[in-house]
Amino acid sequence: MSVVVYDTGMLMALVSQNQRAHALHKGFVVAGGHQPIVPGPALSQAWRTSPKTAYAWKRLLADVFVFPAARTRLSADDVPHCLPCAAGMTIEHWKIVGDMIGAAALPPKKRPDPVDALAVFVAAVHGGGAVLTSDAHDIAAYAATLPAADVSAVAV
């Protein structure tokens, strides 16, 4: 199964009404299949309560699956339809993300970003996919730590 995962940069682009980001997002939603995935920490990095962005966030969160997260009102439509989303994260998974952070060959002066590593890991456990990001080089560095994974970076 190939999925798309949004990192913080993609969320910020969507909330700020970036046309390219919106075109990509609309294409994924219209295509059906697995909802775009937002790692919970990416949501935390991007979220700011503001009347200016409330509507954009409401629309966006209706279209994505926040991983790992439980819905506040569970309906048949909210139940995860794939095993990785339903299973969430184990302690071993978090250890793998930690190893990715330690092993990634990031550009000089770049700080390790657990959210970027998690986005790559989420795509990998889904069998591969694309991470939509404003940090394509960082995503590629984390993906290189999982050589068997088919994870690519798409710049927004």
Side-chain angles (χ1 to χ4, degrees):
M1 172 189 307
S2 186
V3 298
V4 292
V5 180
Y6 295 171
D7 82 346
T8 305
M10 177 62 166
L11 296 177
M12 298 299 290
L14 287 167
V15 171
S16 67
Q17 306 302 317
N18 176 287
Q19 289 183 353
R20 174 172 158 68
H22 273 280
L24 289 167
H25 175 70
K26 184 177 180 180
F28 299 134
V29 172
V30 169
H34 199 299
Q35 288 177 293
I37 300 171
V38 173
L43 175 61
S44 294
Q45 273 188 334
W47 180 270
R48 299 296 180 269
T49 301
S50 166
K52 292 179 181 179
T53 60
Y55 181 72
W57 277 115
K58 182 178 179 176
R59 284 187 26 211
L60 173 60
L61 291 175
D63 289 343
V64 301
F65 180 78
V66 178
F67 178 92
R71 302 284 184 165
T72 53
R73 288 178 279 145
L74 195 60
S75 71
D77 292 334
D78 291 329
V79 175
H81 296 284
C82 76
L83 186 57
C85 284
M89 295 286 286
T90 67
I91 291 172
E92 293 306 312
H93 291 150
W94 290 113
K95 290 177 183 178
I96 292 168
V97 173
D99 285 340
M100 291 169 62
I101 293 166
L106 296 172
K109 297 187 180 182
K110 284 291 280 198
R111 291 182 173 205
D113 187 343
V115 175
D116 285 349
L118 179 60
V120 170
F121 180 81
V122 169
V125 298
H126 279 82
V131 176
L132 280 76
T133 181
S134 58
D135 297 320
H137 289 67
D138 294 4
I139 296 299
Y142 290 116
T145 68
L146 301 173
D150 183 20
V151 177
S152 60
V154 176
V156 292

